[in-house]
Amino acid sequence: MLAFAGESHQNGSDFIAASASLCCCMPQIGDGEEISICIIITMHAFEAESLCSLLTGCFFWHTTPLCFFLQVPGISLGYTALARQDRSMEKVWESFFSDPSQWWDHRLCKLNSRHPDFKHKRTQQGLWIWRKGNPRWVKARLATVTGTIQQSVFSWNTVLLRFVKDGQYRLALDLYKQMQHESIKPDTFTMVQVLNACASLTALEEGRLVHAQTVENGYDSDLFVGNSLVNMYSKCGSIDDACRAFSKINARDVVSWTAMIVAHAKSGQGEKALSLYRQMQLENVKPDTFAFVSVLNACASMAALPEGRHLHAQILEDGCQSNVFVGSGLIDMYAKCGSIEDSCKVFNVYEFECDVVSWNAMIVGYVKCGQSLKALELYWQMQREQVKADTATFVGVLNACAELAALEDGRRVHAEILQHDCECNVMVESCLVDMYIKCGSLENAFTTFSDMRCREVVSWTVMIVGYGKFGQSEKALDLYRQMQLEQVKPDAVTFVSVLNACANTAALEEGRLVHAQIIQYGCEADIRVRNCLIDMYAKCGSIEDSCKVFNDGFTTDVISWTAMIGGYVKCGQEQKALKFYQQMLLESVEPVNLTFVGVLSACSNVAALKEGRHVHAKVMETGCVSDVAIANCLIDMYSKSGCIEDACRIFNHMPSRDHVSWNAMIMGYALHGHGKEALRLLEHMFQEDLDTDGITFVGLLSACNHAGLIDEGHFYFEHMNPVCAVSTEVEHYSCMVDLLGRAGKLDEAEALITKMPCEPNLTIWTALLGACRNSGNVEMGERIARKLLDVDPQCASAYVLLSNMYAAAGH
């Protein structure tokens, strides 16, 4: 209850003024608030009439019970405003229904109940549908005329802005189409919001239609519309259209220039972005922090360190160095330009005001420069200084753990992620899976993957790659099938991983199914996918399909040619591999290291010394001779082509060697019967504490065999397992049986076979049967031949050796 009283007529005018102040406050009273207001006043009649008009007009829009008791000298007057209010509202609604086209419909854009549902276009008078004082017939009649009431462009813009702010861009575009259907002329604000929606959806064609409508309405020269057009075209990847829209802007501001710089930087045209920045300065447009960040990104994309340093000087001159985004941009630019020291200087200068963005830039910079340990140390420092990490922080530090294979640190970071409630972020979870895989913990990787609430294509691909890395190609294919069942669309990287799994398991039919899906998803033109298809078909023994993929009309690169050469070698078609290499040179495709490895393997297999020397000359020409893998292939090629001296020369001139280099040289000596040299190399390996493997001892035993070094061969055979920790395989037994057989120690050779931990194969029995033939031991030969035929009844060499043995014995 609000009570006001005036005692004499002298106070009547003052009370009217005071009542006006009360009236101004009344719109704050909301719907449904029952506030009784009783005013008792003593005044003259003319004053009472003025006050009643004032109060009745004010409280007209409210449902508050309002009662006046006016005491006028000589007159006793009771005045109830509510009845007058009802009559006034009825008149206004009658006016509304007589011509609804004169009213705007604001129902869609109402922010709260105080805003009217309808507003008169000329007088701006408002009407509320749900007011208690409305006539009862209003709602029924309203249903018959609502379609004829026009919504103002302001109403449409309000809803449009709400959709864009909430990220409901498709709804925003649909609303714009409805606005056109109802013949509401958009204003510049409308066009800006619609263009922003098109930009966010990268809806280029719809954006072009909106552009045409801006021209039609004469808005294309408007600064804000022009800036939005440039932004839309740049985000849709149409740089040419962005340039044309930029050229139409009459008075460009810093936003216009920044939008163009960003467009060129994102499209990989860093030089053009820098050129625009210089032109912007010539036109005396002062850059802001966003412009500086954009130009820094352009410098980073080109690794343009001198330009970046010059820009840094301008930032200092303009006093923008304290901006955290500019500082982070400087850190990122220096890191991507390979100058991590400058990144550290920037970070240390502004460390007291750095936020998480700056820390993230520094952590990522260390990782990109190969200093993952420092990135990890910086993360722990960040934790000590209580800077709250975000998802970008965790992505950077998990990459650092992955590069270092730091499993325990990775687990600690995982615990931090759980505490920060970031485990539901798909990117963070995918990095966790990748980190565990690179740290060798496939079990933790799969557990993390299984616990993911939402898996995107990146998550599936990382796990498929992980299985492939651990040699579990069958599980990789199973996971790919599960991915399809969950209707996750694969991308090019997924297909590369799956094709590698098919190649490793020689799963030709599975590979053909994947090929069909590649075509279905439109990835057949991707050069990485096509190269993997060539490799997969070749490793599955279908070189014809490899040729079809290579010749299907799409772009090829040096990897495509290399894959074909390797495929021919894999399928035993070395001559075709050599011809393919010649064709590659004729088409001016420069070979790479893997190409030389493939073609040198072809030369080795067919002892093509002439072609091998030509390849060697090309290797010298391209400066690849120091590559260890190529040098190893050259040693093998010259050894198998009968030029052991050339093989020795290459081995001796190698700046660095791996265990394959030593094995290749030992095998070369073995082929040429140089047992002593092979033993000398092995001793050298022991002196330098180099690792030996099974291939090393196969070469050594073969060398002893060819050189007749029985005692030495027997010695190393006995010591390879206990001393060198190399397990004895079938190949080593085969060499020893051949060695003992050539020395005439047939019983010892047979005894060795009986002690084998595994079943002897065809090669071992054939070697012993050949030794029986050479020594003329028919009795043992017959016994060994029966065992040989038990292994393979169709073995032709058994019958030939028996025949020769009988002939030599005169049988």
Side-chain angles (χ1 to χ4, degrees):
M1 167 72 74
L2 300 179
F4 296 83
E7 295 299 330
S8 67
H9 70 275
Q10 286 86 357
N11 296 331
S13 299
D14 294 337
F15 192 79
I16 291 173
S19 301
S21 299
L22 171 66
C23 297
C24 294
C25 300
M26 289 310 296
Q28 297 177 7
I29 300 174
D31 290 340
E33 295 185 60
E34 297 292 341
I35 301 177
S36 298
I37 302 175
C38 180
I39 305 174
I40 302 173
I41 310 171
T42 301
M43 60 182 68
H44 291 294
F46 74 92
E47 292 174 332
E49 184 179 355
S50 299
L51 182 58
C52 288
S53 297
L54 174 65
L55 293 176
T56 303
C58 170
F59 291 99
F60 178 82
W61 307 118
H62 291 273
T63 60
T64 305
L66 178 63
C67 185
F68 301 106
F69 295 95
L70 292 94
Q71 297 176 5
V72 183
I75 302 175
S76 178
L77 175 64
Y79 185 87
T80 302
L82 199 57
R84 184 174 174 182
Q85 176 185 357
D86 289 343
R87 289 194 298 273
S88 300
M89 291 182 70
E90 188 170 348
K91 288 180 180 179
V92 177
W93 278 109
E94 287 288 357
S95 171
F96 170 82
F97 286 115
S98 66
D99 189 4
S101 65
Q102 296 302 310
W103 296 74
W104 292 119
D105 185 353
H106 282 180
R107 285 175 293 176
L108 283 175
C109 64
K110 282 183 63 165
L111 299 179
N112 54 56
S113 59
R114 291 196 298 273
H115 294 152
D117 294 302
F118 305 107
K119 184 179 280 190
H120 197 277
K121 293 181 179 179
R122 183 175 56 83
T123 66
Q124 302 299 305
Q125 189 174 21
L127 281 174
W128 285 260
I129 296 172
W130 298 103
R131 292 300 186 195
K132 290 181 180 178
N134 283 343
R136 295 180 179 179
W137 45 263
V138 166
K139 293 176 186 176
R141 289 187 63 182
L142 193 62
T144 65
V145 299
T146 300
T148 65
I149 310 168
Q150 194 176 37
Q151 293 176 351
S152 67
V153 68
F154 173 78
S155 306
W156 291 88
N157 286 349
T158 304
V159 181
L160 196 63
L161 178 62
R162 193 181 305 165
F163 282 149
V164 173
K165 281 188 174 181
D166 291 344
Q168 298 177 322
Y169 307 114
R170 181 51 60 188
L171 287 177
L173 294 183
D174 290 342
L175 186 67
Y176 175 66
K177 291 173 185 175
Q178 183 184 345
M179 184 178 178
Q180 291 177 296
H181 180 71
E182 297 190 16
S183 302
I184 303 296
K185 183 180 179 181
D187 58 14
T188 55
F189 184 86
T190 314
M191 308 314 292
V192 167
Q193 298 307 317
V194 175
L195 288 168
N196 288 342
C198 292
S200 299
L201 292 171
T202 61
L204 180 59
E205 293 308 316
E206 288 175 281
R208 283 177 173 153
L209 287 174
V210 177
H211 187 178
Q213 288 154 5
T214 63
V215 175
E216 182 182 333
N217 289 306
Y219 300 147
D220 55 323
S221 60
D222 181 84
L223 177 62
F224 298 105
V225 174
N227 291 346
S228 297
L229 281 167
V230 173
N231 177 61
M232 182 273 294
Y233 280 126
S234 66
K235 286 187 176 178
C236 292
S238 182
I239 295 297
D240 294 336
D241 285 319
C243 291
R244 280 190 286 270
F246 179 75
S247 66
K248 295 287 184 181
I249 303 174
N250 294 328
R252 302 168 189 144
D253 63 0
V254 65
V255 177
S256 319
W257 289 97
T258 303
M260 279 304 295
I261 291 169
V262 170
H264 285 89
K266 284 188 174 180
S267 65
Q269 300 180 33
E271 188 57 52
K272 179 64 177 175
L274 290 177
S275 175
L276 280 166
Y277 174 69
R278 297 185 194 104
Q279 186 181 345
M280 169 184 169
Q281 290 179 299
L282 291 174
E283 296 193 15
N284 295 320
V285 178
K286 185 178 179 180
D288 59 9
T289 54
F290 294 106
F292 282 130
V293 170
S294 304
V295 182
L296 285 169
N297 289 337
C299 294
S301 66
M302 298 190 303
L305 185 58
E307 290 83 355
R309 283 183 171 146
H310 180 67
L311 184 62
H312 190 176
Q314 291 176 329
I315 289 169
L316 293 171
E317 183 181 335
D318 284 9
C320 295
Q321 70 275 12
S322 60
N323 182 277
V324 67
F325 296 104
V326 174
S328 301
L330 282 166
I331 293 169
D332 181 64
M333 180 273 295
Y334 280 126
K336 287 180 178 176
C337 291
S339 181
I340 196 66
E341 297 81 7
D342 286 312
S343 292
C344 291
K345 288 177 184 177
V346 175
F347 181 77
N348 292 330
V349 167
Y350 307 118
E351 186 176 357
F352 63 92
E353 54 187 46
C354 284
D355 66 355
V356 66
V357 178
S358 309
W359 288 86
N360 291 348
M362 200 65 221
I363 289 170
V364 172
Y366 274 131
V367 175
K368 286 183 177 177
C369 291
Q371 299 185 32
S372 296
L373 184 58
K374 286 189 176 180
L376 200 54
E377 290 171 353
L378 192 65
Y379 171 74
W380 297 126
Q381 180 186 343
M382 178 181 174
Q383 296 296 96
R384 289 192 297 273
E385 297 189 16
Q386 297 182 341
V387 180
K388 186 176 180 181
D390 60 10
T391 54
T393 317
F394 291 125
V395 168
V397 74
L398 285 171
N399 288 332
C401 293
E403 291 298 320
L404 295 169
L407 182 58
E408 291 308 314
D409 284 302
R411 284 177 173 153
R412 287 176 63 192
V413 174
H414 193 171
E416 294 283 342
I417 290 169
L418 294 174
Q419 288 181 4
H420 284 75
D421 294 328
C422 292
E423 73 275 12
C424 294
N425 182 278
V426 176
M427 185 57 67
V428 172
E429 289 180 311
S430 299
C431 286
L432 274 169
V433 175
D434 181 63
M435 180 273 294
Y436 280 125
I437 288 169
K438 289 180 178 176
C439 290
S441 181
L442 191 60
E443 183 179 352
N444 285 129
F446 185 72
T447 301
T448 305
F449 176 79
S450 301
D451 291 342
M452 290 176 70
R453 297 177 188 175
C454 177
R455 302 182 193 126
E456 293 182 353
V457 62
V458 175
S459 318
W460 290 90
T461 302
V462 167
M463 199 64 226
I464 291 170
V465 170
Y467 278 129
K469 182 179 178 181
F470 280 83
Q472 299 183 25
S473 297
E474 287 291 350
K475 285 189 176 180
L477 293 176
D478 289 340
L479 197 64
Y480 175 67
R481 296 183 195 105
Q482 184 183 342
M483 175 183 173
Q484 290 178 294
L485 290 174
E486 296 193 17
Q487 298 182 340
V488 179
K489 183 181 177 181
D491 59 12
V493 181
T494 315
F495 284 127
V496 167
S497 306
V498 175
L499 288 171
N500 287 335
C502 293
N504 293 336
T505 55
L508 180 58
E509 292 308 315
E510 186 91 20
R512 284 180 172 149
L513 287 174
V514 175
H515 191 175
Q517 290 160 352
I518 287 167
I519 296 170
Q520 176 187 344
Y521 287 112
C523 294
E524 69 273 20
D526 189 288
I527 192 67
R528 297 166 299 173
V529 174
R530 297 180 65 255
N531 291 342
C532 284
L533 278 168
I534 293 170
D535 182 65
M536 181 273 295
Y537 280 126
K539 288 181 178 176
C540 291
S542 181
I543 194 66
E544 297 80 8
D545 285 315
S546 294
C547 292
K548 287 177 184 177
V549 175
F550 183 85
N551 296 316
D552 61 5
F554 289 104
T555 305
T556 57
D557 62 2
V558 64
I559 304 300
S560 313
W561 289 86
T562 302
M564 281 302 301
I565 290 170
Y568 278 126
V569 174
K570 178 79 177 176
C571 294
Q573 300 182 32
E574 285 81 3
Q575 292 298 336
K576 285 189 177 181
L578 294 175
K579 287 180 181 178
F580 210 80
Y581 171 71
Q582 293 298 326
Q583 183 64 32
M584 173 183 172
L585 297 180
L586 288 174
E587 296 193 18
S588 301
V589 179
E590 281 299 314
V592 294
N593 291 12
L594 282 175
T595 317
F596 291 126
V597 169
V599 74
L600 284 170
S601 297
C603 294
S604 298
N605 293 347
V606 293
L609 181 60
K610 181 180 177 182
E611 290 82 356
R613 290 194 186 278
H614 286 151
V615 176
H616 190 178
K618 186 69 177 176
V619 168
M620 299 287 289
E621 179 186 326
T622 55
C624 298
V625 70
S626 60
D627 183 84
V628 175
I630 292 176
N632 293 343
C633 288
L634 283 168
I635 293 170
D636 185 59
M637 183 272 295
Y638 279 122
S639 297
K640 291 180 178 178
S641 300
C643 296
I644 192 64
E645 295 81 7
D646 289 321
C648 289
R649 192 179 303 111
I650 291 168
F651 179 82
N652 292 331
H653 285 86
M654 287 179 71
S656 62
R657 308 182 185 99
D658 58 9
H659 74 281
V660 177
S661 314
W662 293 88
N663 290 348
M665 200 63 236
I666 289 171
M667 291 295 290
Y669 281 134
L671 284 173
H672 290 264
H674 297 174
K676 294 289 185 183
E677 287 79 359
L679 290 173
R680 180 179 54 81
L681 274 183
L682 183 66
E683 290 298 329
H684 200 122
M685 289 181 75
F686 290 153
Q687 290 170 10
E688 295 191 11
D689 199 24
L690 299 173
D691 291 333
T692 55
D693 56 16
I695 297 174
T696 311
F697 284 96
V698 167
L700 182 70
L701 293 173
S702 297
C704 293
N705 190 1
H706 287 96
L709 302 175
I710 301 168
D711 294 335
E712 290 84 349
H714 198 276
F715 173 82
Y716 285 111
F717 179 79
E718 292 294 333
H719 288 80
M720 60 181 286
N721 194 322
V723 176
C724 302
V726 176
S727 59
T728 311
E729 304 291 343
V730 175
E731 292 81 5
H732 304 116
Y733 281 100
S734 180
C735 290
M736 273 307 297
V737 168
D738 194 29
L739 177 63
L740 294 171
R742 291 193 182 203
K745 299 182 178 183
L746 301 182
D747 293 331
E748 191 175 343
E750 187 175 13
L752 180 65
I753 294 173
T754 59
K755 294 177 184 178
M756 285 179 61
C758 54
E759 287 293 321
N761 62 11
L762 199 66
T763 306
I764 291 177
W765 291 121
T766 303
L768 187 54
L769 181 58
C772 293
R773 181 205 61 182
N774 294 336
S775 63
N777 192 333
V778 177
E779 181 183 350
M780 180 181 283
E782 289 176 341
R783 187 171 68 253
I784 300 303
R786 282 194 293 271
K787 291 183 179 180
L788 179 58
L789 292 171
D790 286 340
V791 176
D792 182 8
Q794 305 300 321
C795 180
S797 58
Y799 295 104
V800 171
L801 288 171
L802 269 175
S803 175
N804 292 339
M805 184 175 62
Y806 287 143
H811 289 222

